[in-house]
Amino acid sequence: MKKITEWTTLEGKLVRLVPLSMKHYSELYELIEKDRPDELWYTTVPSVTELQRDIEHKLQLQEKGLMLPFSIISKANNRVVGITTFMNIDNQTPRLEIGSTWYAKEVQRTGINTETKYLLLKYALEDLQCIAVEFRTHILNQTSRRAIERLGAKLDGILRNHRLTTTGQKRDTCVYSITDYDWGSVKVHLEWLMKKY
């Protein structure tokens, strides 16, 4: 497997995934201030007051080889529309999780999420030669669960009382994955979906 900490840019028809950096701070700040995704109790998005610390933390994890964070840029207007990461990186196996993802409301339920996931999965399963890519979400986050299932991921199981939410509630976490074995059919499915956009 290639060294996961190597920066890369991934590009499709709708999006460009570039290394997250502090230069994206003001655009991300504006998105959070406008859409208030940090107020959703079942997901974890930094508030405007926590954003700088959150970016710094992600970059520290990247330096340790534990995360590779990306800013999601819409090619239609060359604006940052969200964040996603490779996280929980296991170089030994090799496998990783796609997570800590959030989008501006204006691009939710558009082709941007599908293409973003396609680019990340293709890079992880083909270039990095991972044997599996995980997705995790709160059991009650039906929007996220439907989006993950729509990609072609399979439910591996549910981690009961897996962690505490920001409000102190106990969270059951649904764990999904796409394996290298699944990738051929999932890739064809995603490429078919992307033809609509």
Side-chain angles (χ1 to χ4, degrees):
M1 178 164 136
K2 280 185 189 175
K3 192 177 178 190
I4 195 69
T5 54
E6 290 176 2
W7 283 119
T8 190
T9 295
L10 305 175
E11 187 161 353
K13 187 172 87 175
L14 304 176
V15 296
R16 186 180 310 108
L17 307 182
V18 302
L20 174 68
S21 77
M22 272 304 180
K23 71 179 182 181
H24 304 132
Y25 172 83
S26 59
E27 286 179 271
L28 291 166
Y29 184 102
E30 286 172 22
L31 292 179
I32 294 170
E33 193 172 50
K34 183 176 77 155
D35 294 343
R36 306 306 306 176
D38 56 308
E39 293 177 355
L40 298 171
W41 69 272
Y42 52 77
T43 190
T44 307
V45 176
S47 67
V48 289
T49 58
E50 298 164 336
L51 179 61
Q52 181 172 336
R53 188 168 54 246
D54 182 73
I55 294 172
E56 288 168 352
H57 179 65
K58 284 178 169 61
L59 296 178
Q60 287 166 4
L61 290 174
Q62 189 270 330
E63 284 176 21
K64 294 176 184 174
L66 301 173
M67 179 179 277
L68 191 57
F70 295 92
S71 289
I72 304 164
I73 298 177
S74 169
K75 291 177 72 173
N77 56 15
N78 205 35
R79 298 276 300 166
V80 175
V81 293
I83 286 180
T84 192
T85 74
F86 285 146
M87 56 191 284
N88 295 323
I89 295 166
D90 175 357
N91 285 302
Q92 297 281 93
T93 304
R95 63 186 291 141
L96 52 78
E97 178 186 345
I98 294 174
S100 292
T101 304
W102 60 271
Y103 296 96
K105 274 188 188 170
E106 67 195 63
V107 301
Q108 291 174 11
R109 295 181 186 83
T110 70
I112 282 184
N113 180 54
T114 305
E115 189 175 76
T116 295
K117 294 299 191 296
Y118 173 81
L119 292 170
L120 292 169
L121 285 163
K122 187 172 188 293
Y123 185 68
L125 293 161
E126 294 182 12
D127 296 307
L128 297 178
Q129 298 176 350
C130 289
I131 63 171
V133 174
E134 270 184 31
F135 301 87
R136 296 184 177 208
T137 191
H138 194 298
I139 195 169
L140 296 178
N141 188 345
Q142 294 300 324
T143 302
S144 179
R145 291 185 67 182
R146 281 192 299 273
I148 292 167
E149 289 166 3
R150 186 170 168 264
L151 295 172
K154 294 185 174 85
L155 180 65
D156 294 326
I158 299 168
L159 302 176
R160 306 283 311 276
N161 285 354
H162 177 228
R163 60 187 225 195
L164 297 178
T165 66
T166 53
T167 59
Q169 300 295 311
K170 293 173 188 167
R171 165 179 154 155
D172 289 353
T173 298
C174 292
V175 182
Y176 292 85
S177 69
I178 294 172
T179 67
D180 54 353
Y181 176 79
D182 303 323
W183 177 234
S185 57
V186 169
K187 181 179 182 180
V188 169
H189 170 65
L190 293 178
E191 288 175 348
W192 176 79
L193 286 176
M194 290 188 300
K195 284 180 183 175
K196 300 176 183 180
Y197 303 110

